[in-house]
Amino acid sequence: MDFTRYRVEDADGTFLDEFATNAPDLAEQRITHTRKHHPDLTVTETDDND
């Protein structure tokens, strides 16, 4: 399976969340939920298939 790792930080670069999934819809839901509380997010996506 191909997994993508998501690292979520707020506008100041403060770490908020990190997770890996192979379901882009689930990732978007999780990021959208975080964005409700922290509107200016930075999301970094990396390959997590080691």
Side-chain angles (χ1 to χ4, degrees):
M1 280 189 189
D2 292 332
F3 283 84
T4 302
R5 178 160 297 281
Y6 298 87
R7 180 174 174 88
V8 182
E9 299 175 342
D10 70 7
D12 297 327
T14 303
F15 171 81
L16 299 173
D17 194 11
E18 186 172 26
F19 60 95
T21 185
N22 64 343
D25 293 342
L26 177 67
E28 187 60 35
Q29 288 175 347
R30 190 164 173 171
I31 292 165
T32 298
H33 181 271
T34 304
R35 190 168 274 133
K36 289 178 184 178
H37 305 284
H38 303 274
D40 296 324
L41 294 181
T42 299
V43 179
T44 305
E45 297 179 26
T46 56
D47 184 28
D48 193 47
N49 296 309
D50 294 328

